[in-house]
Amino acid sequence: MAKLPPYTTTGEYIWHYIYRCICGLIFLFLILPILIVLPLSFNVEPYFSFTTGMLNLDPEAFSMRWYKDILRNGMAMPDAAFSLAWLSDTWNNGQWIRAIRNSFFIGICATLLSTALGTLAAIGLSRSEMPYRRLIMSILISPMIVPLVITAAGMFYFYSQVHLSQTYLGVIMAHAVLGTPFVIITVTATLVGFDKSLVRASQSLGAGALTTFRKVQMPLIIPGVISGGLFAFITSFDEVVAVLFLASPEQRTIPRQMWSGIREQISPTILAVATLLVILSILLLTVLELLRRRSERLRGITNS
Amino acid sequence: MVDSQTVLSGPITAADGTPLKKKLAQALFRSRVRAVSLVVPLLAFVLASFVIPIFALMWQGVYNDRFSTYTPNLSDQLSKWDGLGEPDEDLFVALVADLKKARKDRTIGRIATRVNQEYPGTRSLFTSTARKAKKLKAPFKESVIKTNKKWANIEVWRAMKITSQDLTPSFYATALDGRYTVDKGFVKQNENRQIYVKLFWRTFMISATVMALCLLLGYPVAYLLATLPLRSSNLLMIMVLLPFWTSLLVRTTAWIAILQSQGVINDLMVAMGITADDSRFSLIYNMTGTIIAMTHILLPFMILPLYSVMKTIPPSYMRAARSLGATPTMAFIKVYVPQTIPGVGAGGLLVFILAIGYYITPALVGGQDGQLISNMIAYHMQKSLNWSLAAALGGILLAGVLLLYWIYDRVIGIDNMKLG
């Protein structure tokens, strides 16, 4: 905490602490809704609220039943003893397990597609020779801006005509398009600080274009590429509107499953899934922070 | 060694003898091609899977050939009719012929649906007359009107004339609470049928409210983050970034758990004796719920641009203002706030653009009066299957969003968009 300067008046002291309190409340507003799902997901009752037992910290009031339900929901024989057959049953029939598999499959494919195309485009766009730079950039960023309903409705209308709706490919393409703006923005941001003379130095030492890219450019922009990829992944992982319009039940993803869970039967299984997703986002956030620090360190070296 | 005399006298050439000017142009052209070829794959992908689908849908907003495809004779006759005088026998002959064929091809439902969009309450008129069409005899005008008196109503025929035109402004008219008529052009819809303009207005108001709330809550937090030493501000930044990275549905679910009538806030209120058990607040499944949840979800989009602008403002400016005799409030308003305007603009526009097209949260926690225009578009896409109207509503929304996007690009520049 910064010390207040000696000329601070009493009124300013009071205001300073009131201000801190206000900020504290806003931070609570930001973080509390996310933290509140954690204890609720261990509720033994099928409700979305705290029971008296939970408030008294009665161990009886807590259970893992909703986490087990993630595995068991939709299984042919959920009550069978734990065995290989049980595992294959949940792997093949569990509704949530299918959604998780779909989410990862679609997310990873969409991320690879959008990261590869987006990185190339960002490199091209950062060159000063690029004609119509501003126009092309605004077209490439527009998937982030256009309301998702319009995007999804347009894709639903168009993809049905070319037999892409209700296929994995259709959903992957949709998610890849929605993810590219994030890749472009993050990679462009890394390229802004990129020292062009490094490329010239490499060329003057006899390296070809490909070697220069692989050995000089790539290691420097890789943190931006990875964080762009993470953004693209989380975009796909969290996307539900396009899935609602384009996917058949076969391609249900986690958010789609949560959507119908909220609309049809509100069961704390959703909260258990939500808890797992919060943990996932904490992991992603940590990776991103580490990447940012690495990028700063690398660029610190290039600038000196 | 090249003789220096010859080099200087003629045009300057490269090693292979071509003039240097030409060589430079070639090199520039090559590097431009290289830059373009890096961008082309993504541009082609975005055009094919995003831009073209949206244009294809938008085209539906002004073009609908459903009626004319299934009623070739009638559409032909309708185009000859001026829409003012009584419909003549030719029209009725064409009507019966097309109805007969439509009944056989099972396309009567599509025709009826299309006219019903233009003139509600005519669906059964078509289906029932089509059933009897086989037995009808000339003169058709009399026998058709005999089956149903509504056929004598000129408005039905005018509606059919409108629907027989493939390129039509009628969906945009509907989307703006009007009707496109043959005789009077655009007219206003009846009072009780005016829903869309109100919905656009509500969407605008909710987005503006969310934007204002985000600014109100985001400004102090961004200021705190920008003025604290890096170590503690990084720690607090996690509290902003974690919601940003958490799934939208998780946050919406959390708000349901908090705001519902048996939820955390209401339980707390009852426990503290602020409200009675039987008069719990209804905080969700209405506009309040939509606004609270959307503010929470969009708040990081306000804080991050604000923070990145505030970070660049040197603290010495404020100190200089104080040393010149300004009170803290004065210094803040006159010196600090004007410098944060770019951040306010960037964050505010971004939040507004995102809010105006919101779909998921209003659909889940909005109830009746918390629905936005996106929900109506989805309804017409998926439930009522009036795609052209969905396209018209979407077209208006898209135009608004693109206008804001253009302003954003002009004022702030999309290159300056930062994430986290």
Side-chain angles (χ1 to χ4, degrees):
Chain A
M1 292 276 158
K3 263 238 169 93
L4 291 176
Y7 53 80
T8 318
T9 60
T10 328
E12 282 176 68
Y13 265 117
I14 296 170
W15 167 243
H16 179 76
Y17 287 108
I18 293 176
Y19 171 67
R20 288 281 160 101
C21 284
I22 294 172
C23 285
L25 287 176
I26 299 170
F27 278 120
L28 272 185
F29 171 73
L30 271 169
I31 206 81
L32 212 58
I34 292 164
L35 296 183
I36 218 151
V37 299
L38 307 184
L40 279 178
S41 68
F42 294 100
N43 199 343
V44 77
E45 306 286 344
Y47 306 128
F48 259 38
S49 52
F50 288 99
T51 56
T52 350
M54 290 182 92
L55 294 175
N56 295 334
L57 295 179
D58 182 2
E60 294 281 300
F62 294 90
S63 81
M64 293 289 285
R65 65 181 279 203
W66 307 113
Y67 289 88
K68 285 182 193 142
D69 193 52
I70 296 177
L71 296 173
R72 290 160 54 148
N73 199 329
M75 273 175 71
M77 309 236 293
D79 295 320
F82 184 80
S83 64
L84 263 180
W86 188 91
L87 270 181
S88 98
D89 189 7
T90 182
W91 179 256
N92 292 316
N93 299 327
Q95 269 189 39
W96 283 102
I97 300 298
R98 167 175 281 277
I100 292 169
R101 279 164 56 197
N102 275 336
S103 267
F104 275 99
F105 175 67
I106 292 170
I108 289 171
C109 290
T111 305
L112 290 178
L113 191 60
S114 57
T115 314
L117 292 176
T119 306
L120 283 183
I123 293 173
L125 283 170
S126 71
R127 299 206 170 167
S128 49
E129 311 91 75
M130 185 67 205
Y132 305 112
R133 200 176 156 274
R134 219 184 158 114
L135 176 73
I136 291 174
M137 185 90 168
S138 55
I139 292 174
L140 295 182
I141 302 287
S142 61
M144 199 171 105
I145 297 297
V146 172
L148 273 171
V149 162
I150 296 178
T151 311
M155 286 173 169
F156 166 67
Y157 174 75
F158 188 74
Y159 286 11
S160 327
Q161 292 173 359
V162 291
H163 307 292
L164 270 175
S165 78
Q166 312 217 326
T167 65
Y168 278 100
L169 184 63
V171 180
I172 289 170
M173 278 171 68
H175 281 186
V177 167
L178 293 173
T180 45
F182 297 99
V183 179
I184 292 181
I185 290 173
T186 48
V187 177
T188 312
T190 353
L191 285 169
V192 165
F194 187 78
D195 191 351
K196 291 265 162 59
S197 56
L198 286 175
V199 175
R200 263 175 258 137
S202 151
Q203 281 168 344
S204 80
L205 290 168
L210 212 64
T211 318
T212 310
F213 178 72
R214 217 157 43 86
K215 295 267 180 181
V216 180
Q217 270 180 303
M218 205 56 193
L220 282 168
I221 61 169
I222 202 84
V225 174
I226 295 177
S227 63
L230 283 179
F231 266 109
F233 181 73
I234 205 80
T235 307
S236 159
F237 208 73
D238 193 19
E239 208 289 325
V240 59
V241 187
V243 176
L244 275 173
F245 275 84
L246 287 174
S248 66
E250 199 196 343
Q251 288 112 29
R252 278 198 165 196
T253 57
I254 300 172
R256 177 67 184 80
Q257 188 74 17
M258 287 183 82
W259 165 273
S260 53
I262 295 171
R263 290 215 130 179
E264 286 144 28
Q265 42 16 307
I266 290 199
S267 101
T269 312
I270 301 169
L271 294 178
V273 176
T275 307
L276 296 180
L277 289 181
V278 170
I279 293 170
L280 180 78
S281 52
I282 293 176
L283 282 179
L284 284 176
L285 190 62
T286 316
V287 174
L288 206 72
E289 178 63 19
L290 292 176
L291 280 171
R292 196 181 61 81
R293 290 195 184 162
R294 186 184 145 77
S295 163
E296 267 174 12
R297 220 177 39 238
L298 276 176
R299 281 208 262 161
I301 293 166
T302 56
N303 288 344
S304 62
Chain B
M1 277 300 278
V2 186
D3 185 3
S4 61
Q5 211 58 33
T6 51
V7 171
L8 283 179
S9 60
I12 306 172
T13 56
D16 58 354
T18 45
L20 206 55
K21 207 172 174 185
K22 203 171 154 196
K23 198 80 180 165
L24 179 69
Q26 276 174 356
L28 281 177
F29 179 73
R30 251 200 309 266
S31 64
R32 190 176 296 169
V33 167
R34 214 174 294 141
V36 170
S37 65
L38 284 171
V39 179
V40 160
L42 180 64
L43 192 63
F45 178 63
V46 169
L47 284 179
S49 59
F50 176 77
V51 179
I52 293 174
I54 287 178
F55 270 106
L57 179 70
M58 288 303 131
W59 179 236
Q60 292 296 302
V62 290
Y63 182 88
N64 190 317
D65 61 357
R66 202 180 255 186
F67 186 81
S68 64
T69 315
Y70 298 121
T71 61
N73 302 313
L74 186 56
S75 297
D76 195 35
Q77 288 297 327
L78 281 169
S79 65
K80 287 176 197 155
W81 179 50
D82 63 356
L84 299 172
E86 281 289 310
D88 55 10
E89 178 69 13
D90 288 349
L91 279 168
F92 281 93
V93 173
L95 172 74
V96 173
D98 282 339
L99 285 183
K100 257 193 249 171
K101 188 168 181 308
R103 168 110 173 116
K104 217 175 82 201
D105 299 349
R106 294 170 189 276
T107 53
I108 183 67
R110 298 180 194 184
I111 300 170
T113 309
R114 176 68 191 95
V115 181
N116 197 52
Q117 289 166 356
E118 201 57 47
Y119 194 86
T122 50
R123 215 193 132 79
S124 61
L125 177 65
F126 279 84
T127 47
S128 69
T129 312
R131 234 176 287 134
K132 297 170 193 151
K134 235 178 178 171
K135 294 183 195 129
L136 293 174
K137 297 211 172 59
F140 285 109
K141 182 163 181 177
E142 267 169 47
S143 55
V144 167
I145 292 175
K146 217 178 202 174
T147 63
N148 197 324
K149 278 207 297 281
K150 274 188 189 166
W151 287 114
N153 184 355
I154 192 164
E155 289 302 328
V156 173
W157 287 92
R158 284 176 176 162
M160 283 201 289
K161 185 169 168 64
I162 296 279
T163 49
S164 70
Q165 294 161 354
D166 292 348
L167 205 59
T168 170
S170 69
F171 293 106
Y172 272 89
T174 313
L176 292 168
D177 282 342
R179 263 182 329 115
Y180 179 68
T181 57
V182 184
D183 45 344
K184 287 184 293 247
F186 288 95
V187 289
K188 265 213 136 110
Q189 190 69 270
N190 296 331
E191 197 73 37
N192 56 353
R193 284 184 185 277
Q194 295 183 5
I195 45 174
Y196 299 116
V197 172
K198 262 184 222 153
L199 198 55
F200 273 113
W201 181 240
R202 187 204 286 163
T203 306
F204 180 84
M205 285 313 287
I206 288 184
S207 305
T209 313
V210 168
M211 183 182 75
L213 282 174
C214 281
L215 186 62
L216 195 71
L217 298 178
Y219 202 92
V221 167
Y223 180 70
L224 184 74
L225 287 172
T227 48
L228 277 183
L230 208 60
R231 186 195 287 255
S232 35
S233 79
N234 266 350
L235 209 67
L236 286 174
M237 201 61 177
I238 293 173
M239 304 250 256
V240 180
L241 288 176
L242 186 59
F244 186 67
W245 278 84
T246 306
S247 164
L248 186 77
L249 277 143
V250 170
R251 287 185 276 170
T252 309
T253 316
W255 278 111
I256 294 175
I258 293 172
L259 296 177
Q260 64 177 332
S261 61
Q262 301 296 322
V264 178
I265 288 194
N266 269 313
D267 280 354
L268 213 63
M269 294 282 196
V270 172
M272 293 195 317
I274 294 174
T275 176
D277 199 9
D278 50 359
S279 64
R280 287 164 178 258
F281 295 107
S282 48
L283 296 167
I284 205 162
Y285 307 123
N286 54 26
M287 203 194 284
T288 322
T290 306
I291 291 176
I292 295 177
M294 277 174 72
T295 306
H296 177 252
I297 289 164
L298 293 172
L299 190 50
F301 290 96
M302 180 65 101
I303 295 178
L304 295 175
L306 271 177
Y307 169 76
S308 65
V309 167
M310 287 179 176
K311 199 77 199 151
T312 61
I313 300 173
S316 53
Y317 288 6
M318 282 278 274
R319 264 181 257 140
R322 293 290 306 276
S323 79
L324 291 167
T327 60
T329 329
M330 192 76 157
F332 185 75
I333 293 171
K334 289 259 175 179
V335 176
Y336 196 81
V337 173
Q339 295 182 81
T340 60
I341 293 296
V344 173
L349 264 176
L350 193 61
V351 167
F352 193 81
I353 288 174
L354 293 175
I356 209 165
Y358 239 62
Y359 169 64
I360 294 297
T361 309
L364 288 177
V365 304
Q368 277 288 321
D369 64 347
Q371 301 289 309
L372 303 184
I373 196 70
S374 289
N375 304 88
M376 190 51 95
I377 295 171
Y379 167 79
H380 281 305
M381 260 337 264
Q382 295 181 311
K383 296 276 162 57
S384 82
L385 301 180
N386 191 350
W387 291 359
S388 291
L389 182 56
L393 290 168
I396 297 170
L397 175 63
L398 188 62
V401 168
L402 289 182
L403 178 73
L404 290 170
Y405 183 42
W406 181 76
I407 296 172
Y408 186 96
D409 189 26
R410 266 296 138 111
V411 179
I412 297 126
I414 36 172
D415 318 35
N416 298 332
M417 206 182 271
K418 282 209 184 72
L419 300 161

